């Protein structure tokens, strides 16, 4: 099966390897080295999609990253990728792709009716059309826009591919392997610099792959191959193809996405699909080249209208003809290169040159070859719907305002060249103040803000000789600055054709009474008339024009449309472009997959998981875990058919009746040492610490400077100058930073050291009336009677040969102890406790039972210490010293904090003693009051009281101290509940605290 | 991502540090009479300058030291980093 548009002898593809693929369900073949675009064109497929707004037929426009049209839905290895650019996607065996943005098919598209209704789709049509009536938005407009607009469809399946992140450092990062990139990389590498050379295409060489030049005694292409081969062998050089540097961030951090396996049918084993590189470069050399500019004329979006450089690339790299009857429409010499390549391959092109009789070497060559050249001629409009069939052409007057008689000539493609736009995206992202270069009608880099240098055509230099000379110099100079070496490489001689000046003409006037659409932005369907309308409506700032018309806002970021848009605005305004300015270039330069951005931080790996040393025991005993910060803690231990409610009730009841054990390893622990440790604690906590004896623990509350409670916990004096502080699980890291802040910055004179020991100790809380019996059997040699180890006492012990710390502290309100051993012995300790506790009916309990126990005792925790409450609010005013100063004390005088009706923690019981009150419910006086119903307080924590067998909640309530006995309503609009409640003391169980001291 | 030179460890990426507020604020001394206004200024009032700003950062995933960083809030340029007891 011959391919109608493939030539036999030319191209860099591997003709020995045929590759079959499917497009829109139909089978085709291409060759190894093809892109999906080149293979489709070779097969005569020119219609690949429909446009965004008007659903006009779309073909191919470019041959690479700048492609605005050929966006396809890609299928690979049972996964699908939206918005793949067919011009970049390499062909692999079994590739499948489908058109996007057309329904029911690319050939018959219902949305194309928009094309005939286009007076309803002018600039700003989203803003104008879909605003009224408002109620239509969700039900009518949005679904319509969603169905009709947009490109590909994201997969809703979990992506099984692997993505990686990599961090790298280098002296020079060079972005692009065209002549300028190769020359700077080579010069710098030879001078000993650590170089990374990134090329976004599969092949290195950039423009050298398609241009007819000689460097030294080799062709440009051979020179590039030899340089790359040499660079790859150097130990100080990293060379990557398929790697797009897409973002330039602060302090010379650049991010690059490497498509490691996208060109293969299946990712190789142990190799990621894509890799994201974070590169910190001492210097950056931007050699990103330039993109050819379109010329604007009627129906210039018709399939078959392509960039002249793309036509040349398809021909020279892939051996593919974009047409057999080409029309070249150019305002500069580049179009001649393409025409000459056509002619060399037996195709007769016609050149329309907007210039009047220009002279240059390449024009002479085209003339010598007998190519038909029409000077002062333009394409007025392309003809044909799904493919160019002919062109209306005309002579244009010297002032470029008047068209001569219109003639129709046959052609099957129109190759346009409107000169070149330097790719300054990365330069601009770096903060460089770009400037306008009148000579090339484009912005070029100006004053650098970071360590970057732009070389080659990205810097507006379009001759190879100058490019190489400057790039070798830049590579040498920058590397010399870093390595202090001075090894120079010789600059080769260059043979290239000299070009003459381009014509600043860019937009063909409309002939009288013709309403051809002339497109500026090919992906977002923005036409000349749209921008003119925006300007007539008063938009002036280019940023506003962009947003109103969506010019340059599509996935191609206006790579081909920006400058022509600016031209139009400046023509209309009679301003020159520099005063119009360009819109801000923001990363990413090309779309980056979410997979690459996320890397390996997926699912469970999105954050580290911390587990206690007893975790596997919990797992074996049917623990149901809950996230506590990044810790996994047992929420309850399931027995039989129990759910959360039954299990936690059983566990909590067993603590009140017998004894329970809870894994408290996750509590934050901070070791505090030094002669000034007592003084430091005295400043950090609200209560007094100077007189705490060795072997005693104390409960403490610490504030922020604004008087709000930061955290609470017990701290124990282990020895004269050594304390062991505990914090809540959630605040552990913040408390450590807080202590370090005061020690390092505010009171550096204090001789104190703090260090986190959270992971060094495993902890078990043994709680319940029978806890002493268990402890006595664990530590038979220690006097743990109420006198020997009183409430808030501390001793050290020997747990069957293992060193242990024993604290008599209680969170549950029961007689309780906490035993700490070194983490490695945690499981040993736990199993001993369970084993020995059996005869006292010990059961492990999880965080749910733990909450129940503390709530019904009225112990405040995170839900009350919520960053908005002061000690008084939590009933902790007794712990606030009047005698000494401490962090945050001065704030407690604030009038709101001392107000007579200041909020305070209270208990809440539903009147029916049955209905649980949802946490977050508001407390109000009148359930039926007019909205907004004045809120008196909120329910902070709820449980099922195991002591009284009815629901019980804690709440923070305005004037709480005078509200005991009041009847209020708990409202939960979220759960649609209104519950009559009574306010009671927060200390619902054992209000005198006798149990902990028993 | 910023590149911050820790005076103890050398230059490291921003993700090893956390921001810690205005470094020009001085906490009033303990046990000293402080007027409402003075205290209010210390706790709540911060300038948000566009341009040079002296700020605290903590090298939290490194040496855990609090350091001073003089940074341009608009351009992210870092002019100087100091130990907390050093002045510009
Ligand atoms: Zn450090």
């Amino acid at each position: 099966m011959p391919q109608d548009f493939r030539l036999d002898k030319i191209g860099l593809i591997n003709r020995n390897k045929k590759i079959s693929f499917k497009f829109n369900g139909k089978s085709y073949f291409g060759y190894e080295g093809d892109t999906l675009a080149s293979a489709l064109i070779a097969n005569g497929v020119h219609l690949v999609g429909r446009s965004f707004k008007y659903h006009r037929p779309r073909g191919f426009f470019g041959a690479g990253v700048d492609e605005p049209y050929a966006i396809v839905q890609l299928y690979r290895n049972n996964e699908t990728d939206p918005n793949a650019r067919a011009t970049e996607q390499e062909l692999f065996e079994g590739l499948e792709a489908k058109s996007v943005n057309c329904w029911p098919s690319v050939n018959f598209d219902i949305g194309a009716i928009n094309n005939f209704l286009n007076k309803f789709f002018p600039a700003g049509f989203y803003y104008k059309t879909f605003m009224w009536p408002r109620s239509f938005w969700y039900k009518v407009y949005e679904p319509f826009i969603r169905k009709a607009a947009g490109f590909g469809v994201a997969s809703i399946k979990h992506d099984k591919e692997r993505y990686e992140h990599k961090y790298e450092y280098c002296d020079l990062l060079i972005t692009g392997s065209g002549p300028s990139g190769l020359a700077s990389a080579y010069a710098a590498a030879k001078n000993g610099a650590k170089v990374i050379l990134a090329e976004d295409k599969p092949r290195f060489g950039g423009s050298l792959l398609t241009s007819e030049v000689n460097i030294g005694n080799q062709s440009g292409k051979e020179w590039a191959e030899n340089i790359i081969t040499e660079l790859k062998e150097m130990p100080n050089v990293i060379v990557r193809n398929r790697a797009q540097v897409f973002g330039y961030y602060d302090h010379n951090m650049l991010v690059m996405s490497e498509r490691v396996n996208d060109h293969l049918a299946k990712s190789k084993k142990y190799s990621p699909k894509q890799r994201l590189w974070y590169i910190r470069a001492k210097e950056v050399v931007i050699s990103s080249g330039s993109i050819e500019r379109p010329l604007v004329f009627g129906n210039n979006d018709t399939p078959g209208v392509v960039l002249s450089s793309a036509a040349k690339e398809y021909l020279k790299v892939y051996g593919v003809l974009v047409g057999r009857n080409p029309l070249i429409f150019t305002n500069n010499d580049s179009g001649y290169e393409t025409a000459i390549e056509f002619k060399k391959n037996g195709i007769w092109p016609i050149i329309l040159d907007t210039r009047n009789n220009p002279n240059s070497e390449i024009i002479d060559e085209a003339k010598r070859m007998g190519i038909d050249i029409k000077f002062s001629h333009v394409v007025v409009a392309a003809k044909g719907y799904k493919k160019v069939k002919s062109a209306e052409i005309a002579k244009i007057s010297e002032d470029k305002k008047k068209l001569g008689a219109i003639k129709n000539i046959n052609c099957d493609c129109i190759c346009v060249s409107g000169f070149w736009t330097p790719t300054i995206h990365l330069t601009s992202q770096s903060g460089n103040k770009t400037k306008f270069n009148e000579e090339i009608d484009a912005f070029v880099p100006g004053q650098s803000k970071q360590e970057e240098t732009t070389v080659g055509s990205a810097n507006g230099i379009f001759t190879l000789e100058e490019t190489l000379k400057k790039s070798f110099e830049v590579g040498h100079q920058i590397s010399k600055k870093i390595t202090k070496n001075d090894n120079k490489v010789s600059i080769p001689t260059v043979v290239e054709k000299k070009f003459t000046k381009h014509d600043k003409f860019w937009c063909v006037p409309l002939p009288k009474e013709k309403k051809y659409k002339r497109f500026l932005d090919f992906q977002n369907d923005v036409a000349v008339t749209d921008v003119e309308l925006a300007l007539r409506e008063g938009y002036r700032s280019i940023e506003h024009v962009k947003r109103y018309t969506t010019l340059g806002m599509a996935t191609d970021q206006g790579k081909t449309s920006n400058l022509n848009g600016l031209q139009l605005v400046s023509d209309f305004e009679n301003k020159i472009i520099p005063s119009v300015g360009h819109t801000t270039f923001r990363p990413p330069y090309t779309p980056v997959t979410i997979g690459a951005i996320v890397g390996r931080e997926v699912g469970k790996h999105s954050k580290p998981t911390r587990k206690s040393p007893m975790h596997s025991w919990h797992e074996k005993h049917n623990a149901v875990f809950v996230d506590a910060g990044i810790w996994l803690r047992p929420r309850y231990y399931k027995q039989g058919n129990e759910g959360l409610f039954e299990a936690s009730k059983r566990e909590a009841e067993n603590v009140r009746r017998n004894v329970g054990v809870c894994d408290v390893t996750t509590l934050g622990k901070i070791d505090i040492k030094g002669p000034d440790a007592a003084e430091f604690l005295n400043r950090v906590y609200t209560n007094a610490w100077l007189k705490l004896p060795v072997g005693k623990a104390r409960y403490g509350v610490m504030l922020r400077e604004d008087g709000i409670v930061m955290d609470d916990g017990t701290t124990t004096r282990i020895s004269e100058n050594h304390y062991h502080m505990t914090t809540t699980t959630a605040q552990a890291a913040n408390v450590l930073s807080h202590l370090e802040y005061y020690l390092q910055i505010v009171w550096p004179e204090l001789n104190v050291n703090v260090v986190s020991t959270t992971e060094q100790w495993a902890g078990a809380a043994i709680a319940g009336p029978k806890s002493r019996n268990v402890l006595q059997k664990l530590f038979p040699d220690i006097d743990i009677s109420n006198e020997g180890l009183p409430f808030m006492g501390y001793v050290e012990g020997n747990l069957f040969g293992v060193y242990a710390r024993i604290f008599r502290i209680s969170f549950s309100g029961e007689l309780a102890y906490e035993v700490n051993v070194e983490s490695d012995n945690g499981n040993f300790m736990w199993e001993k406790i369970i084993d020995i506790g059996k005869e006292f009916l010990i059961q492990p309990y999880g965080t749910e039972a733990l909450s129940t126990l503390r709530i019904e005792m009225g112990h405040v925790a995170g839900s009350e210490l919520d960053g908005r409450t002061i000690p008084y609010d939590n009933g902790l005013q007794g712990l606030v010293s009047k005698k000494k100063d401490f962090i945050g004390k001065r704030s407690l005088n604030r009038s709101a904090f001392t107000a007579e009706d200041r909020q305070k923690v209270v208990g809440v019981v539903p009147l029916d003693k049955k209905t649980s009150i949802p946490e977050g419910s508001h407390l109000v006086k009148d359930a039926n009051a007019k909205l907004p119903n004045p809120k008196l307080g909120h329910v902070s924590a709820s449980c099922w009281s195991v002591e009284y067998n009815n629901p019980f909640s804690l709440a923070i309530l305005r004037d709480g101290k005078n509200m005991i006995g009041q009847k209020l309503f708990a409202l939960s609009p979220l759960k649609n509940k209104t519950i009559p409640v009574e306010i009671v003391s927060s200390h619902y169980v054992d209000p005198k605290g006798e149990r902990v001291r028993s | 991502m910023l590149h911050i030179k820790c005076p103890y460890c050398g230059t490291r990426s921003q993700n090893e540090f956390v921001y810690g507020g205005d470094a020009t604020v001085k906490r009033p001394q303990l046990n000293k009479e402080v007027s409402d206004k003075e205290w209010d200024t210390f706790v709540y009032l911060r300038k948000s300058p566009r341009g040079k700003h002296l700020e605290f950062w903590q090298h939290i995933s490194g040496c855990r030291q609090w350091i001073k960083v003089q940074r341009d809030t608009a351009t992210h340029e870092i002019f100087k980093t100091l130990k907390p007891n050093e002045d510009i």
Side-chain angles (χ1 to χ4, degrees), chain A residues 860-981:
Chain A
V860 291
S863 50
E864 291 75 40
L865 311 178
D866 63 355
R868 295 178 297 182
T869 55
I870 59 171
Y872 173 87
D873 306 351
N874 293 292
L876 300 171
Q877 66 279 7
L879 289 171
V880 177
S881 167
K882 297 221 160 58
K883 291 182 194 136
K884 57 141 195 175
D885 200 359
F886 54 84
I887 294 169
K889 183 176 189 181
R890 181 64 179 79
S891 289
L892 296 178
N893 296 340
R894 286 178 58 188
S895 53
F897 289 174
T898 55
E900 210 21 59
D901 64 348
R902 178 71 198 175
Q903 62 179 9
K904 192 165 194 205
V905 65
V906 293
V908 184
V909 179
L911 291 186
D912 68 359
K913 301 270 175 107
K914 277 187 205 134
T915 313
S916 288
I917 306 167
E919 290 176 351
S921 296
H922 283 194
L923 295 171
V924 299
K925 199 152 197 115
D926 175 3
N928 299 312
K930 229 179 94 199
L931 296 175
N933 196 338
K935 170 195 164 192
L936 302 175
H938 73 276
V939 172
S940 56
S942 291
C943 72
W944 187 273
S945 165
V946 291
E947 185 90 5
Y948 294 104
N949 206 25
N950 57 250
F952 176 73
S953 299
L954 292 177
I956 305 285
L957 183 62
R958 190 196 297 163
D959 199 18
K961 70 172 190 295
N962 293 317
M963 297 293 278
I964 310 294
Q966 296 264 352
K967 303 245 177 2
L968 300 175
F969 292 92
L971 297 189
S972 176
L974 276 178
K975 304 253 161 104
N976 200 18
K977 275 190 177 170
T978 303
I979 306 164
V981 298

Side-chain angles (χ1 to χ4, degrees), chain B residues 6-10 12 17 59 62-65 67:
Chain B
C6 171
Y8 306 95
C9 308
R12 300 295 158 93
F17 297 83
H59 194 188
C63 61
R64 293 205 63 90
Q65 296 301 302
I67 61 169

Side-chain angles (χ1 to χ4, degrees), chain A residues 251-269:
Chain A
H251 297 186
N252 263 28
M253 161 71 82
L254 290 96
V255 187
M256 170 170 101
S257 93
E258 183 188 3
R259 303 180 305 279
V260 186
N261 277 297
D262 282 350
H263 62 295
L264 301 175
K266 216 176 136 186
S267 297
K268 280 182 244 160
K269 218 176 174 186

Side-chain angles (χ1 to χ4, degrees), chain A residues 705 737 740 744 890 894, chain B residues 27 36 44 58 66 76:
Chain A
E705 292 287 15
S737 268
E740 287 165 334
Q744 293 173 26
R890 181 64 179 79
R894 286 178 58 188
Chain B
R27 190 193 192 280
D36 282 351
Y44 296 104
Q58 188 184 14
W66 286 86
H76 289 314

Side-chain angles (χ1 to χ4, degrees), chain A residues 464-682:
Chain A
L464 183 62
E465 188 170 8
E466 197 184 347
T467 289
L468 285 186
K469 191 168 156 279
K470 288 239 169 99
S471 306
F472 272 109
E473 262 169 35
V474 162
H476 177 74
Q477 288 302 332
I478 293 177
S479 58
K480 186 176 159 188
K481 213 166 65 181
I482 298 168
T483 64
K484 316 283 181 226
N485 296 338
D486 201 5
N487 304 316
K488 265 193 180 166
V489 290
S490 61
I491 301 172
T493 54
V494 169
V495 181
E496 64 181 322
K497 292 210 171 60
K498 300 254 173 340
F499 281 20
T500 184
K501 274 199 198 138
H502 80 288
D503 181 1
K504 302 203 171 194
F505 176 81
W506 65 278
C507 183
V508 180
L510 278 182
K512 278 202 187 81
E513 280 153 32
K514 292 280 185 190
K515 285 196 172 163
Y516 296 129
K517 274 202 169 294
R518 293 170 299 170
F519 285 93
L520 293 168
D521 185 311
F522 302 106
Q523 197 166 95
N524 265 359
D525 277 8
V526 182
V528 170
T529 46
D530 292 318
V531 174
E532 284 173 347
L533 178 65
L535 293 165
R536 277 203 307 277
E537 288 183 1
Y539 289 91
R540 288 297 177 267
S541 153
I542 187 67
E543 296 281 2
H544 293 163
V545 171
K546 164 180 164 177
R547 280 156 186 80
Y548 192 59
T549 62
T550 73
L551 175 77
M553 281 173 67
T555 65
D556 67 343
Q557 294 236 318
K559 291 182 179 71
T560 50
S561 66
N562 279 335
L563 266 166
N564 284 340
L566 287 176
Q567 285 280 11
L568 180 59
V569 176
S570 58
D571 286 359
F572 188 92
E573 286 271 281
N574 243 332
K575 274 188 194 165
I576 45 167
I577 287 187
S579 62
V580 174
H582 61 74
T583 54
T584 314
F585 293 105
R586 292 192 177 85
Y589 173 66
T590 50
V592 183
T593 62
I594 299 290
I597 292 168
V598 172
R600 295 228 189 159
E601 288 159 22
V602 178
K604 281 196 167 178
H605 299 291
S606 61
K607 57 185 182 355
T609 304
R610 295 174 89 179
K611 296 174 180 174
S612 96
M614 289 83 96
H615 186 83
S616 54
W617 190 95
H618 303 321
E619 272 180 333
K620 262 182 254 155
H621 293 82
N622 298 323
V624 176
F625 291 93
V626 62
D627 291 318
I630 56 174
W631 289 92
L632 274 182
R633 294 190 74 177
R635 193 171 184 194
Y636 61 96
Y637 299 82
K638 192 180 169 76
Q639 290 186 1
N641 290 328
E642 282 177 344
L644 168 68
F645 179 76
E646 295 81 15
S648 61
K649 190 159 168 273
R650 166 181 53 73
E651 291 169 9
E653 276 168 354
N654 192 57
V655 171
R656 293 267 185 256
R657 195 174 304 138
N658 299 306
V659 58
V661 59
C662 181
D663 187 346
V664 292
T665 303
T666 62
L667 280 186
K669 302 173 206 78
I670 297 169
D671 218 44
I672 302 175
K673 278 185 177 168
D676 298 323
E679 172 62 24
F680 181 54
L681 291 172
N682 212 41

Side-chain angles (χ1 to χ4, degrees), chain B residues 9-21:
Chain B
C9 308
T11 306
R12 300 295 158 93
S13 267
Q14 184 187 345
N15 49 8
E16 294 187 12
F17 297 83
V18 288
Y19 178 72

Side-chain angles (χ1 to χ4, degrees), chain B residues 12-77:
Chain B
R12 300 295 158 93
S13 267
Q14 184 187 345
N15 49 8
E16 294 187 12
F17 297 83
V18 288
Y19 178 72
D22 189 334
T24 61
V25 174
K26 279 258 177 311
R27 190 193 192 280
Q29 279 183 354
L30 286 171
N31 301 307
K32 207 189 107 193
E33 275 289 301
V34 184
S35 70
D36 282 351
K37 193 166 166 40
E38 200 182 330
W39 187 256
D40 183 62
T41 304
F42 159 64
V43 176
Y44 296 104
L45 295 187
R46 296 289 181 273
K47 288 203 177 101
S48 182
R50 187 181 200 280
K52 269 191 190 176
H53 189 227
L54 191 66
E55 49 204 26
F56 283 124
W57 289 72
Q58 188 184 14
H59 194 188
I60 198 140
S61 303
C63 61
R64 293 205 63 90
Q65 296 301 302
W66 286 86
I67 61 169
K68 284 180 186 167
V69 176
Q70 192 187 38
R71 180 179 69 104
D72 189 307
T73 57
T75 64
H76 289 314
E77 187 178 351

